[in-house]
Amino acid sequence: MSTLTGKVAVVTGASKGIGAGIAKAFGAAGASVVVNYASDKSGADKTVDTITKAGGKAIAVHGNVSKLEDAQAIIDAAIKAYGHLDILVNNAGVFEFSPVEAITAEHFHKQFDINVLGLLFVTQAAVKHLGKGASIINIGSLASAGTMPGSAVYSATKAALNAVSTVLAAELGPKGIRVNALNPGGVITEGSQAAGFTDDNPFVKTMIAGTPLGRLGQPHDIATAAVFLASDDAGWITGQLLNAGGGAR
Amino acid sequence: MSTLTGKVAVVTGASKGIGAAIAKSLGAAGASVVVNYASSKAGADVVVDAITKAGGKAVAVKGDVSKPADAQAIIAAAIKAYGKLDILVNNSGVYEFGALEAITPEHFHKQFDVNVLGLLLVTQAAVKHLPKGGSIINIGSLVSRITPPGSSVYSATKGAVDVITGVLSLELGSRGIRVNALNPGLVETEGTHTAGFIGSDFDKQHAASVPLGRIGQPKDIADAAVFLASDDAGWINGQLINAAGGAR
């Protein structure tokens, strides 16, 4: 794996699932990691424990990314703990599926506030600390391809994330800051299991059948790619929407 | 950088430029490398020397990828030298710009034979040796997206590389073989110097359109290639990745 020695990273929504996988891989690669969580303190503490027990550095920091002052506080905590910031992973996100007939303003705002506005708030707070060589990774989704019935709002938030990624790559490039989206396909996490996306779910079966590598993803699959994008080995990669989905589209 | 310890790689067109840099980086990451060349033996020998002096393993193997017998021979040489094959980097390519009025069948076939048919022939030879976890990296170009005027044929070959990458990622995925395209923007190489790109108006215009504000270096591309070759990219398949500092 690429090295992140001496770098400081913030991972939002890192108490479980993909975010926790990324935080742990960053810690293992040598970064000091701020493990952000919105509600699951014990999950975040577990992530921190895993990193520190493996000899790495990490702290858990509470904050709801969709609140401006929380977004600021997450970044402030990174600077206070480690003195600088090099890597931001905008991973915090929620998903909620609904057929078009059932879409409500609440369903819309809940997802757009966290998945898009929250991403912008945290990035806004981070960017004044990020310098040449810094890396922002936005965790999107293959859903942005817009092929999943019942996911209009969720998929729209992820399409927005793609657009924000390429806009910010152009906007922050002159400062030497790279911005990429890392877009997982179906990943087995606590969240997806709780939502009923288990192996016997017909939707999951279809998803596996549509994946050339023939399985669902694991958080670790996404985390190893995130370590690359965070590292100087990806120094020439910016503005990319990288699907991490085993070839699924 | 990711580790490639114990893996065997073939890099076509590796006597200079981007191919040479990829070969050296794969070697530095622990892979045994077949350094293919079509005409510049001296260049390939320099690359092999650089790898072996740094403690790595490499051999130079001659072969024109557009000839079926040569394509077979390149892969056979890898198996003979190292007993197996894990990574194929289809990097061999030629470019020749020409306005529509100047396009001839020769201009067309020269580029399609090497850039597209050659890629297919080497992949065909390689695929029977590639195991689960094998990685194929096709070196495309940003031109498939930015389509510069006067580059119809060259850009078309690279559009074809993108499409073949998508097709083969579906076709070979069930065997656990990943296929991705790595698409550089303008890179400073012996080739782009010789072609007069470096220092030209095109160069300046391009650099101004790159968010990171410079043109690429071979190492920029090589670092990304090592990742795609490695198990760290085990879930990355069928992707067209621009390595171009954000240029589009």
Side-chain angles (χ1 to χ4, degrees):
Chain A
M1 232 163 21
S2 302
T3 177
L4 301 175
T5 307
K7 298 200 191 252
V8 176
V10 166
V11 183
T12 65
S15 61
K16 53 183 186 300
I18 293 173
I22 292 174
K24 286 184 242 177
F26 278 10
S32 304
V33 187
V34 169
V35 175
N36 162 253
Y37 66 98
S39 56
D40 183 6
K41 183 175 189 310
S42 72
D45 286 343
K46 243 170 75 183
T47 307
V48 168
D49 265 10
T50 305
I51 295 172
T52 51
K53 279 194 181 134
K57 286 186 204 166
I59 52 167
V61 174
H62 178 262
N64 176 342
V65 296
S66 70
K67 293 184 182 157
L68 186 58
E69 63 279 11
D70 281 22
Q72 188 64 53
I74 295 164
I75 299 301
D76 287 349
I79 302 299
K80 193 179 164 209
Y82 302 118
H84 65 114
L85 181 64
D86 306 282
I87 300 157
L88 169 63
V89 181
N90 285 308
N91 169 74
V94 290
F95 61 87
E96 195 175 87
F97 285 12
S98 166
V100 67
E101 294 83 351
I103 290 172
T104 61
E106 199 201 354
H107 168 82
F108 179 92
H109 288 303
K110 180 177 169 186
Q111 297 183 78
F112 265 93
D113 279 2
I114 294 178
N115 299 4
V116 185
L117 183 60
L119 179 154
L120 289 167
F121 279 162
V122 179
T123 304
Q124 199 175 52
V127 86
K128 53 180 166 293
H129 299 288
L130 294 175
K132 197 170 152 64
S135 174
I136 298 173
I137 304 168
N138 297 326
I139 305 301
S141 169
L142 265 191
S144 59
T147 57
M148 254 196 291
S151 75
V153 173
Y154 176 69
S155 296
T157 67
K158 294 305 185 175
L161 178 147
N162 287 348
V164 168
S165 301
T166 54
V167 168
L168 293 185
E171 191 170 327
L172 303 178
K175 295 179 176 166
I177 301 169
R178 297 180 297 104
V179 185
N180 294 287
L182 180 59
N183 294 353
V187 174
I188 301 168
T189 63
E190 299 89 328
S192 69
Q193 299 275 305
F197 293 112
T198 48
D199 273 355
D200 50 352
N201 177 317
F203 178 74
V204 169
K205 285 184 182 161
T206 311
M207 205 147 54
I208 292 173
T211 304
L213 296 181
R215 59 173 176 89
L216 285 183
Q218 296 284 343
H220 180 73
D221 293 321
I222 315 307
T224 51
V227 170
F228 166 69
L229 286 176
S231 79
D232 295 341
D233 289 340
W236 202 227
I237 312 285
T238 188
Q240 297 301 293
L241 315 175
L242 181 61
N243 292 345
R249 306 175 182 181
Chain B
M1 221 154 38
S2 301
T3 177
L4 301 174
T5 308
K7 299 203 190 243
V8 177
V10 166
V11 184
T12 65
S15 62
K16 53 184 189 298
I18 293 173
I22 292 174
K24 285 185 245 179
S25 290
L26 296 178
S32 305
V33 187
V34 170
V35 175
N36 162 251
Y37 66 98
S39 57
S40 175
K41 182 176 189 314
D45 287 343
V46 170
V47 174
V48 168
D49 267 9
I51 294 172
T52 51
K53 280 195 180 133
K57 285 186 205 167
V59 289
V61 174
K62 183 181 174 47
D64 174 347
V65 296
S66 70
K67 294 181 179 156
D70 283 23
Q72 289 290 340
I74 294 164
I75 300 301
I79 303 299
K80 193 179 165 208
Y82 303 117
K84 66 178 180 126
L85 182 64
D86 305 283
I87 299 157
L88 169 62
V89 182
N90 284 309
N91 169 74
S92 282
V94 291
Y95 57 86
E96 198 174 82
F97 279 22
L100 179 65
E101 295 80 357
I103 292 171
T104 60
E106 199 201 355
H107 168 83
F108 180 93
H109 290 302
K110 182 176 168 184
Q111 297 183 78
F112 265 91
D113 280 1
V114 175
N115 299 5
V116 185
L117 180 61
L119 178 152
L120 290 167
L121 292 172
V122 178
T123 304
Q124 198 174 55
V127 88
K128 54 180 168 288
H129 299 287
L130 290 173
K132 191 169 152 68
S135 174
I136 298 174
I137 304 168
N138 297 326
I139 305 300
S141 168
L142 195 59
V143 296
S144 65
R145 208 150 131 188
I146 61 174
T147 61
S151 75
S152 287
V153 174
Y154 178 63
S155 294
T157 67
K158 294 305 187 176
V161 169
D162 288 352
V163 169
I164 288 169
T165 302
V167 170
L168 293 184
S169 74
L170 297 176
E171 195 170 324
L172 304 179
S174 59
R175 291 143 82 164
I177 300 169
R178 298 179 295 106
V179 187
N180 294 287
L182 183 58
N183 294 355
L186 184 59
V187 173
E188 183 176 8
T189 64
E190 300 89 328
T192 52
H193 269 290
T194 307
F197 283 124
I198 305 305
S200 71
D201 286 350
F202 179 81
D203 172 5
K204 286 171 198 146
Q205 225 172 50
H206 182 71
S209 74
V210 178
L212 294 182
R214 60 174 176 90
I215 64 167
Q217 294 293 328
K219 185 170 181 315
D220 293 323
I221 315 307
D223 288 342
V226 170
F227 166 69
L228 286 176
S230 78
D231 295 341
D232 287 342
W235 201 229
I236 310 291
N237 184 30
Q239 297 300 292
L240 315 176
I241 300 170
N242 293 340
R248 306 189 208 171

